[in-house]
Amino acid sequence: MLFYSLPETLLLVAAAIVIDWIIGDPKWPMHPVIWIGKFISALEKRLYPTGAELPPLKLKGRGILLAAVTTLLSFAIMWLITAVADWIHPWIGYAVSCWFISTTIAVKGLKDAAMQVYRPLVSGDLEQARKYAGYIVSRDTKAMTEADAARAAVETVAENTVDAFVSPLCLALIGAAPLA
């Protein structure tokens, strides 16, 4: 269901946060964001043919189309899934909404990624810390000092907190799973 009462919404979001803390990002079934990414890749191939030189205005228009179609289709599919689940039984609707909201939150994933850098640093294994820092930052990690590796982990958590927690939380409070 798209709109729940405020107490229902607060409980759904709180339960989704707990699910994320316990389970984290699911590896199966395929994460919804991966499906969205696959859709974006397929649509990009259609909108931006290889070797085609497009004028800036067309590029901008196609970019707007890509963003609009992806957002609206994702919303519509999630609304349909949650509406059908709610139609079957309200508790199934709650469970499905809660699960999908939890997949938009990645607090455990952020913590785990930071800890993969932290643990080797604490044990004095700078090479392992650099390796795991390379998983979460796009810069070269070969010459990182301990401070650089720690900074990379902290920056990643700080930069991704909005995407991994604040935004999905706010959107879920407004429109449950479809909006999150």
Side-chain angles (χ1 to χ4, degrees), residues 26-49:
K27 303 297 182 237
W28 56 266
M30 193 183 295
H31 197 288
V33 174
I34 294 172
W35 283 103
I36 293 168
K38 287 179 180 284
F39 174 75
I40 290 170
S41 293
L43 190 53
E44 280 179 330
K45 286 178 186 168
R46 306 270 309 187
L47 292 173
Y48 307 105

Side-chain angles (χ1 to χ4, degrees), residues 13 16 19 23 32 38 47 65 83 96 99 102 118 125 127 137 154 164 167-168 178:
V13 170
I19 290 170
I23 298 173
K38 287 179 180 284
L47 292 173
L65 180 65
V96 168
W99 172 254
S102 79
Y118 172 77
D125 189 352
E127 286 306 310
V137 297
V154 170
S167 295

Side-chain angles (χ1 to χ4, degrees), residues 1-179:
M1 173 162 212
L2 180 54
F3 295 108
Y4 291 106
S5 69
L6 183 59
E8 289 172 318
T9 302
L10 291 173
L11 286 172
L12 281 174
V13 170
I17 291 169
V18 170
I19 290 170
D20 176 65
W21 286 345
I22 294 168
I23 298 173
D25 281 335
K27 303 297 182 237
W28 56 266
M30 193 183 295
H31 197 288
V33 174
I34 294 172
W35 283 103
I36 293 168
K38 287 179 180 284
F39 174 75
I40 290 170
S41 293
L43 190 53
E44 280 179 330
K45 286 178 186 168
R46 306 270 309 187
L47 292 173
Y48 307 105
T50 304
E53 287 291 323
L54 299 171
L57 192 57
K58 270 196 173 183
L59 284 172
K60 185 180 248 181
R62 289 178 184 206
I64 291 168
L65 180 65
L66 176 68
V69 168
T70 301
T71 303
L72 292 172
L73 186 62
S74 298
F75 177 87
I77 290 169
M78 189 52 53
W79 184 87
L80 182 63
I81 290 169
T82 56
V84 168
D86 196 58
W87 175 77
I88 293 170
H89 194 279
W91 285 102
I92 294 174
Y94 291 143
V96 168
S97 292
C98 185
W99 172 254
F100 279 113
I101 293 169
S102 79
T103 67
T104 69
I105 300 169
V107 174
K108 183 179 186 301
L110 280 176
K111 181 200 83 159
D112 292 347
M115 293 304 289
Q116 283 187 312
V117 176
Y118 172 77
R119 285 187 196 100
L121 283 175
V122 169
S123 68
D125 189 352
L126 183 55
E127 286 306 310
Q128 275 295 98
R130 286 176 179 158
K131 172 186 166 187
Y132 288 115
Y135 293 167
I136 59 175
V137 297
S138 58
R139 57 186 171 258
D140 186 17
T141 60
K142 291 178 188 141
M144 276 188 169
T145 64
E146 287 182 5
D148 293 334
R151 189 177 306 110
V154 170
E155 287 172 1
T156 295
V157 171
E159 290 170 2
N160 288 293
T161 297
V162 171
D163 294 341
F165 185 69
V166 176
S167 295
L169 177 71
C170 291
L171 292 168
L173 289 171
I174 295 167
L179 207 52

